Amino acid sequence: MTAHSGRTLLLKVDAASAGTFQTVGGLRVQGLELSQDLVDVTHGESTGRWRELLGDAGLRRGRVSGSGLFRDSASDELVRQLFFDGVVAPWQLIVPSFGTIEGPFVVSALDYEGRHDDAITFALTLESAGPLTFAALA
């Protein structure tokens, strides 16, 4: 992955689930965690007492966390309302030179911070609520 400005990481949501994503903010700092629980099937006759795992059986989940600036006050209001309503909505995280992660997420945390000499920033955490897809950039 080549170097890019942090402001080019975009967070988009389709609040109406109509297939139209709108940018709600640019992320200055972001994290993407994809994980899967493991299912241990080790037994008394496992070769050399090595752990054995059952493939494709664990629970998968995704978490996006980040902080940045809202695009505008309408974006701030939209994300805040999704949080208070507990709505599961389609989201996209666009990472330049990498690709797009897309799927249903719920806003599990939303924080605001502001310094007297800077803009108000937000921090949020999105938890997956269904299957995620990854589309690599060509």
Side-chain angles (χ1 to χ4, degrees), residues 13-78:
V13 65
D14 177 12
S17 296
T20 305
F21 288 88
Q22 69 182 69
T23 301
V24 293
L27 299 177
R28 291 180 172 176
V29 177
Q30 64 87 28
L32 171 63
E33 175 189 338
L34 301 172
S35 60
Q36 177 173 300
D37 293 338
L38 303 175
V39 178
D40 189 337
V41 293
T42 308
H43 52 85
E45 295 180 353
S46 293
T47 305
R49 295 186 318 252
W50 284 98
R51 177 174 71 166
E52 294 182 36
L53 299 174
L54 185 60
D56 198 29
L59 177 69
R60 294 181 184 155
R61 64 188 155 279
R63 173 183 291 147
V64 174
S65 58
S67 63
L69 298 170
F70 281 114
R71 181 174 178 210
D72 52 30
S73 60
S75 298
D76 174 15
E77 183 179 338
L78 174 61

Side-chain angles (χ1 to χ4, degrees), residues 1 5-11 25-33 63-68 93-96 98-99 101 122-124:
M1 178 185 301
S5 170
R7 70 176 175 260
T8 60
L9 293 164
L10 295 178
L11 190 59
L27 299 177
R28 291 180 172 176
V29 177
Q30 64 87 28
L32 171 63
E33 175 189 338
R63 173 183 291 147
V64 174
S65 58
S67 63
L93 174 66
I94 299 172
V95 184
F98 182 64
I101 302 287
F122 72 91
L124 61 68

